[in-house]
Amino acid sequence: AVVSTQSTGIATDTESVPTNKYEMCCDMLDLVADISNIYTSQDCPSFYDNQSFSRVQLENGTVILTKYICNNLTLVCLLQESCLSELGLIEYNIAKFSDGIAEVLKTNGE
């Protein structure tokens, strides 16, 4: 089994984050980890890589996306179902975010 230390932070642009949304993000990370553990092996103990991406659509119209960013960092996005028509733009923004995080980590590591 993969053992991990998990810390979750949430950023928003307009409102404080309700507890239930925070819990959904944590639950999504746990879900991805639990399902991924089924498919990991001793040779490859990590279940996240640069291709890791998942999506869960809830009955209330909320969509939860997760995307691996870098070592020990996964982005979790809560969206309305209507936003999925702009999935290409969402993926572009996630890629830009990922590049920015990589640059920050590179700069801090120097």
Side-chain angles (χ1 to χ4, degrees):
V2 175
V3 178
S4 67
T5 303
Q6 186 171 312
S7 177
T8 304
I10 296 185
T12 182
D13 57 355
T14 60
E15 61 186 52
S16 61
V17 178
T19 303
N20 65 333
K21 288 185 179 181
Y22 176 83
E23 290 172 354
M24 278 196 303
C25 291
C26 292
D27 289 346
M28 183 65 176
L29 290 171
D30 288 340
L31 175 69
V32 170
D34 290 346
I35 290 173
S36 298
N37 276 334
I38 295 170
Y39 299 102
T40 58
S41 67
Q42 296 292 346
D43 299 333
C44 181
S46 177
F47 48 82
Y48 287 123
D49 63 21
N50 61 356
Q51 300 297 312
S52 295
F53 179 86
S54 59
R55 176 173 86 186
V56 171
Q57 201 159 334
L58 305 177
E59 289 181 358
N60 68 359
T62 299
V63 177
I64 308 172
L65 302 176
T66 64
K67 175 68 175 133
Y68 172 87
I69 301 298
C70 63
N71 206 14
N72 298 318
L73 181 62
T74 300
L75 178 66
V76 180
C77 302
L78 297 175
L79 308 168
Q80 289 302 310
E81 186 176 5
S82 60
C83 295
L84 292 179
S85 65
E86 299 292 334
L87 194 55
L89 180 59
I90 292 167
E91 290 172 347
Y92 174 81
N93 286 331
I94 290 172
K96 287 297 185 184
F97 176 79
S98 181
D99 292 346
I101 291 293
E103 187 65 29
V104 167
L105 294 176
K106 178 182 166 188
T107 303
N108 287 339
E110 293 177 352

